[in-house]
Amino acid sequence: MIDLRRVPELWRKVSVPVRDLPLALLILGTSFVPSFQSHGTQFGGLPNRSFDTLAVVALAAECLPLALRRRWPAVSLALVSLGFAVDQLRGYHSLAGTALPVALLSAGSHLERHRRTTVLTATAAYLALVAGLCLLGATEGPADFVMYYLALILPWRIGIWLRDTRAAEAERRRRVAQDTLVAERTRIARELHDVVTHHVTAMVVQAEAARYLTAAPDRLDQTLTAVSDTGRRAITDLRHLLDLLNPDHGPETRAPTVGRLLTLVEQARRAGQPVEFTEEGTPAESVGSAGLVAYRVVQEALTNALKYAHGIRTSVQVRHSEREITVEVSTFGSGSRGASPGGSGRGLAGLRQRVDVLGGDFSAGGRTGGGFVVRARIPAGSTS
């Protein structure tokens, strides 16, 4: 037994001509209903004629090609027009005449090439039909023929409007998909920058310090252990980032949060950076993306302190409230950049964008009396 809920899905899998055939059969069948005969489209004013064998052929040629109206719109329009001409010249005046506007609408909507040629050919065919009707004694005048021509233009223009609307929607979807892809790539690039720069910088600084500890085995062992721990954390964070690239990954439950700030501080201390850490207030029940952004602000600021102010006193202050998280990271004095990796400014720019997306405030600049300070106010609860 067929599941009725799957009928629409199965119907969409059927070929387009088969899906268009019911409309053609409906118009054709209705045209042969006795009460509708000689009560259809009357063009030219010729006297009505009873249906005969030629009428069956004309009506079939007029209706059945509608099954091709989307697959081969030009062929459909030509056959329907031929059937319509026979219908009117013979005076059948059948209900099948409604197939012509349908064919015109479909041609305007689905015809891909030779659109201008189609218009010129259809106009020439219309003039030939008018001439034939006049030779057979048509009672309608030029104004009537012009009005009917203008009426036939309407479904063609509607088809063109549908085509343009469909193209505009496809372009909009393409742009949305492209913008989404760019945004996702930008987000991943920021995550990579934050993870790789922070951990690698810490490892470089720790390795540089280890070169001067060969005479102190205990301190050398502690430094090398710190390098190993930093490398493991880097691998863990990179593995998490790779999980995000997997389309089947679940919610980001393992994403770093503001609760892991002390880990960043301890890592910076083991790399030789004197860091003072202060955390005030109670985090809101649901901080949304604010926790991750606060974590990244502290991570980037400590990374810059290790690179550009190594060994200089650094302060990390984090304040929680019901509505926001405030982060301030300051270095008191300037260090040497001689042995530190250079920076491109991408990290601070990325932080500014992260905070702006959540509707917060971000600033980074020099302090009076030397040093550098990074401040961020991040509204809590946003899932942006």
Side-chain angles (χ1 to χ4, degrees):
M1 184 175 180
I2 299 178
D3 187 355
L4 295 179
R5 292 174 296 182
R6 295 194 57 197
V7 170
E9 178 184 354
L10 296 174
W11 178 251
R12 285 192 294 269
K13 293 181 179 179
V14 177
S15 64
V16 173
V18 175
R19 281 184 281 159
D20 289 340
L21 182 59
L23 176 62
L25 294 176
L26 176 63
I27 297 177
L28 179 61
T30 307
S31 301
F32 286 104
V33 175
S35 58
F36 290 154
Q37 292 181 10
S38 300
H39 289 80
T41 304
Q42 298 188 14
F43 177 54
L46 295 181
N48 294 328
R49 183 192 296 265
S50 300
F51 283 9
D52 52 20
T53 303
L54 184 58
V56 176
V57 176
L59 269 60
E62 201 170 358
C63 298
L64 294 181
L66 289 181
L68 309 176
R69 61 190 178 89
R70 285 191 288 176
R71 178 64 62 84
W72 296 295
V75 174
S76 174
L77 179 60
L79 294 176
V80 171
S81 300
L82 179 61
F84 178 81
V86 175
D87 184 354
Q88 298 304 315
L89 290 172
R90 293 285 293 177
Y92 300 129
H93 300 150
S94 69
L95 196 66
T98 57
L100 182 59
V102 176
L104 283 168
L105 187 149
S106 298
S109 179
H110 299 287
L111 192 61
E112 298 291 341
R113 297 181 298 174
H114 309 302
R115 299 172 66 84
R116 182 174 299 179
T117 302
T118 300
V119 172
L120 294 176
T121 302
T123 301
Y126 181 81
L127 293 176
L129 175 59
V130 170
L133 290 171
C134 291
L135 290 175
L136 293 175
T139 59
E140 294 182 349
D144 297 317
F145 292 130
V146 171
M147 288 298 296
Y148 194 77
Y149 180 79
L150 295 177
L152 291 177
I153 291 178
L154 180 60
W156 171 265
R157 294 301 305 176
I158 292 176
I160 293 176
W161 175 79
L162 291 174
R163 174 187 174 88
D164 293 343
T165 302
R166 196 165 55 244
E169 178 63 18
E171 177 64 17
R172 185 192 68 82
R173 291 182 179 180
R174 186 192 65 80
R175 289 183 178 179
V176 169
Q178 185 177 19
D179 292 344
T180 302
L181 179 61
V182 171
E184 186 66 13
R185 286 178 174 175
T186 302
R187 186 176 75 92
I188 293 172
R190 290 173 186 165
E191 293 290 335
L192 277 173
H193 174 274
D194 293 340
V195 171
V196 174
T197 302
H198 176 77
H199 290 304
V200 172
T201 297
M203 293 172 68
V204 169
V205 172
Q206 291 165 346
E208 288 287 336
R211 297 167 58 184
Y212 303 98
L213 299 176
T214 55
D218 293 339
R219 294 181 59 192
L220 177 61
D221 181 71
Q222 293 177 358
T223 301
L224 293 178
T225 300
V227 173
S228 299
D229 292 341
T230 302
R232 292 189 184 95
R233 278 190 292 272
I235 292 174
T236 300
D237 287 348
L238 287 174
R239 185 174 294 143
H240 164 70
L241 190 56
L242 291 176
D243 287 342
L244 297 183
L245 299 178
N246 183 352
D248 296 328
H249 81 278
E252 299 181 32
T253 54
R254 294 186 297 161
T257 62
V258 71
R260 288 178 52 189
L261 292 179
L262 188 57
T263 303
L264 293 175
V265 172
E266 291 296 334
Q267 183 178 359
R269 288 170 177 169
R270 285 196 294 269
Q273 191 74 8
V275 181
E276 301 172 358
F277 178 61
T278 304
E279 189 171 14
E280 302 175 358
T282 303
E285 294 183 1
S286 176
V287 297
S289 299
L292 175 60
V293 175
Y295 180 93
R296 294 305 187 197
V297 170
V298 175
Q299 186 181 54
E300 179 66 20
L302 288 179
T303 300
N304 289 338
L306 285 170
K307 290 165 64 176
Y308 309 126
H310 186 222
I312 304 300
R313 184 169 67 91
T314 304
S315 171
V316 177
Q317 297 180 346
V318 180
R319 299 182 182 88
H320 300 278
S321 69
E322 289 296 326
R323 296 185 176 181
E324 63 186 23
I325 302 174
T326 304
V327 177
E328 181 175 315
V329 182
S330 307
T331 55
F332 301 87
S334 58
S336 174
R337 296 179 54 179
S340 299
S344 62
R346 181 180 300 169
L348 293 179
L351 291 180
R352 187 182 305 278
Q353 292 175 357
R354 289 175 185 265
V355 175
D356 287 346
V357 165
L358 299 184
D361 301 315
F362 179 84
S363 64
R367 295 179 67 259
T368 303
F372 200 81
V373 60
V374 175
R375 296 187 179 93
R377 182 190 61 82
I378 309 162
S382 173
T383 58
S384 176

